[in-house]
């Protein structure tokens, strides 16, 4: 129905306009024909241009296995002709409206929350978001209950300046509500200095099964002492390589600056990451190393890192749990908490807030929620901005601190963060991620 309206209403307006113009203007048919011819030439030239750049990646040319990866069909990239916004300008806002109240809220070193927002204490409440990391698989099914359980297990407490508001150690985030405005305050807790080196249970120790040389070691501390590189996976759901170039120009520019630095290597996977219904297959390959796990209870890759002394963390900005969603059936016990076994930190709960993720009706519609065709907003900012907040905090917390003598500070880390802006029908929303992603890449490059 929407598609029908989007095509036929404008088409009929154009036809009516042509009819009126023809009856009003002399020689209109001749002018019109010239305009059509000029338009057709311009379109053909543009298409030719887009065809030539289609295969040109960040290095400016198709690289790596050119024979294998070259597109074998007749490629006419019509989509490149559409200006930004052409496919969803009618749908709604592509930016987030600021909240009315300016809220200044921080959690200090002692876990105390401090809020200033210019109204009396009686107007302030704090929603303490639950720690999802310890939840068993059965509680993390995003089709039926993950968001609802987050809401149910949120504790709402009054806030005032007379007594200190101290958070529990496992709390990663709270929502501070001040009058009609709200904000999210997150922190990485417990702090890295209080995090013990993880000892995997013998029955699921991933070091016993060899997954190649890099994953082979005798003890967690041995790996930690070798100081392997830190690892960050940023997963952009449902975005092809070419669409990344098309809609995320600032990020592409930031990536391009990386290739000139000494220790960087940039690889683009031509045609391997084209969009199809391949999320399960692609992410299983990435996170499990196999599409069809040969064994039951296969642990995702963050377990392999954690078992070897890495600090592991995951951000799921779509109120989702990858392990449950894509590999949940592989586990014998739905009581098993995969995240508790495999991650030191997890942030999901802020992205399950009903202001973004509908708690009644269809959560996956076109105008609200994690798959919507308009800007994904939460409390006046893009949803991904809250995810990046925590990502920056993780990096700051886990970065080696030279002044402090604690050796735990020097453990390597492995972080995954998932973004769903590409998961929608118009291909436009991913644009909203560009400046934040570019800023993050530049921050990593310069740090
Ligand atoms: C989480 O893991 C810790 C340490 O491995 C364990 O002591 C605790 O019981 C686990 N919690 C849950 C809910 O599984
Ligand atoms: C302030 O809040 C605390 C709980 O957070 C409560 O125990 C206390 O009575 C409150 N004080 C006032 C003056 O409202
Ligand atoms: C801390 O945890 C206890 C027990 O789970 C809970 O009753 C209390 O409300 C929590 N406090 C805060 C500030 O989250
Ligand atoms: C892993 O280490 C063990 C002993 O240190 C060795 O026997 C084994 O061959 C190694 N496996 C791989 C894949 O390197
Ligand atoms: C996943 O991969 C398998 C094996 O490569 C293939 O048979 C299957 O069609 C793929 N699934 C989808 C949804 O593409």
């Amino acid at each position: 129905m929407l598609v029908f309206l989007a095509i036929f209403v404008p088409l009929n307006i154009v036809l009516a306009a042509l009819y009126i113009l023809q009856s009003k203007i002399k020689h209109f048919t001749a002018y019109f024909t010239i305009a059509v011819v000029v338009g057709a030439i311009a379109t053909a030239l543009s298409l030719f241009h887009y065809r030539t750049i289609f295969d040109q990646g960040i290095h400016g040319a198709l690289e790596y296995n050119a024979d294998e990866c070259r597109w074998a069909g007749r490629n006419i990239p019509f989509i490149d002709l559409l200006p930004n916004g052409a496919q969803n300008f009618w749908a709604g806002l592509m930016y987030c409206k600021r909240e009315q109240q300016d809220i200044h809220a921080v959690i200090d070193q002692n876990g105390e929350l401090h809020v200033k927002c210019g109204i009396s204490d009686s107007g302030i409440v704090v929603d303490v978001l639950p720690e999802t990391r310890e939840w068993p698989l059965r509680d993390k099914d995003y089709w039926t209950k993950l968001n609802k359980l987050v809401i149910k297990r949120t504790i709402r407490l009054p806030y005032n300046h007379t007594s200190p508001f101290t958070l529990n150690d496992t709390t990663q985030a709270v929502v501070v509500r001040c009058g009609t405005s709200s904000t999210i305050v997150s922190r990485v807790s417990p702090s890295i200095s209080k995090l013990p080196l993880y000892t995997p249970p013998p029955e699921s120790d991933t070091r016993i099964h060899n997954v190649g040389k890099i994953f082979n070691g005798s003890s967690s501390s041995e790996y930690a002492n070798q100081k392997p590189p830190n690892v960050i996976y940023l997963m952009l759901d449902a975005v092809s390589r070419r669409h990344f170039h098309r809609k995320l120009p600032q990020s592409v520019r930031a990536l391009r600056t990386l290739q000139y630095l000494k220790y960087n290597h940039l690889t683009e996977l031509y045609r391997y990451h084209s969009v199809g219904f391949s999320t399960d297959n692609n992410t299983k390959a990435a996170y499990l190393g196999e599409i069809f796990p040969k064994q039951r209870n296969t642990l995702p890759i963050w377990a392999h890192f954690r078992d070897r002394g890495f600090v592991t963390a995951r951000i799921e900005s779509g109120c989702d749990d990858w392990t449950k969603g894509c590999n949940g059936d592989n586990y014998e016990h739905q009581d098993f908490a995969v995240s508790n076994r495999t991650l030191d930190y997890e942030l999901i709960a802020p992205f399950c807030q009903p202001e973004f993720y509908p708690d009644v009706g269809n959560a996956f519609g076109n105008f609200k929620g994690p798959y919507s065709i308009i800007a994904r907003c939460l409390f006046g900012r893009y949803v991904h901005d809250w995810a990046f907040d925590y990502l920056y905090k993780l990096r700051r917390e886990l970065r080696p601190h030279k002044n402090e003598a604690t050796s735990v500070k020097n453990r390597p880390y492995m972080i995954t963060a998932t973004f769903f802006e590409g998961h929608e029908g118009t291909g436009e929303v991913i644009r909203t991620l560009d400046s934040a992603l570019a800023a993050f890449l530049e921050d990593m490059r310069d740090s």
Side-chain angles (χ1 to χ4, degrees), residues 160-180:
N160 59 51
H161 288 93
T162 47
S163 51
F165 193 107
T166 308
L167 296 169
N168 291 335
D169 231 17
T170 57
T171 302
Q172 306 300 312
V174 298
V175 178
V176 175
R177 298 182 187 274
C178 178
T180 55

Side-chain angles (χ1 to χ4, degrees), residues 277-278 281 291-292:
F277 288 97
S278 306
N281 277 1
I291 293 174
F292 303 106

Side-chain angles (χ1 to χ4, degrees), residues 236-251:
L236 273 53
D237 191 39
V239 181
S240 69
R241 187 197 63 81
R242 177 63 193 136
H243 206 55
F244 187 95
H245 281 260
R246 199 181 281 131
K247 295 292 183 190
L248 299 164
Q250 294 178 49
S251 305

